[in-house]
Amino acid sequence: MNANVRVATCFQFALLIALTSGQLMSKEHRTHAASERANELWCYQCDTMEDGEKCSNLSGNYSVFEHKCVDDKRICMVKRVSYSTSTENSTSMPQTWSLERHCTNKCEPGCIVIGERTKLYACTACCEKNLCNTGTGTANDLTIKEIDLLLAFVLQLVVIVIMCPS
């Protein structure tokens, strides 16, 4: 077997592993039976613009904000909008403008930063366990799912290197 065929075979093998484990698939596929299963998820649901500071710090008993998710909303989310200002010599710490917690059917974790002197941060954190959306919507609120994805990717790279040595 010549080198080009070996490289092509290794590439196909790696692609097959990635596709079958769902790593490169961005759309979730659910069977009809899975779609009909009961939604047992509970998330905190509140908004600092309406509910005030009680929504930003959920340490303690805040059962008033507990909400049963319905339909295809199977993800808990925290959205935070904050801002900071800069001068020539310093940058202020981000100040929270609003924070929102709720159930959703789609969630893309991460932050978007807009601006230079006045920076606007829009951050989202996602989780899939009951009442898990207690964080502040920062990058530190990584879920186990995201860490598992990273570890799976590293494992795939190790397998490729072992299976297809140059």
Side-chain angles (χ1 to χ4, degrees), residues 124-135:
T124 304
C126 316
C127 59
E128 297 177 14
K129 295 190 188 299
N130 283 331
L131 303 174
C132 60
N133 59 336
T134 58

Side-chain angles (χ1 to χ4, degrees), residues 47-49 79-82 95-100:
D47 186 337
T48 56
M49 298 299 242
K79 283 185 184 179
R80 178 178 50 90
V81 177
S82 55
Q95 301 296 311
T96 300
W97 174 262
S98 71
L99 189 120
E100 179 182 347

Side-chain angles (χ1 to χ4, degrees), residues 48 56 77-83 94-101 110-112 120-125 135-141:
T48 56
S56 35
M77 174 189 286
V78 180
K79 283 185 184 179
R80 178 178 50 90
V81 177
S82 55
Y83 66 94
Q95 301 296 311
T96 300
W97 174 262
S98 71
L99 189 120
E100 179 182 347
R101 305 174 192 280
C111 291
I112 297 172
L120 181 65
Y121 304 84
C123 297
T124 304
T136 58
T138 63
N140 294 335
D141 296 338

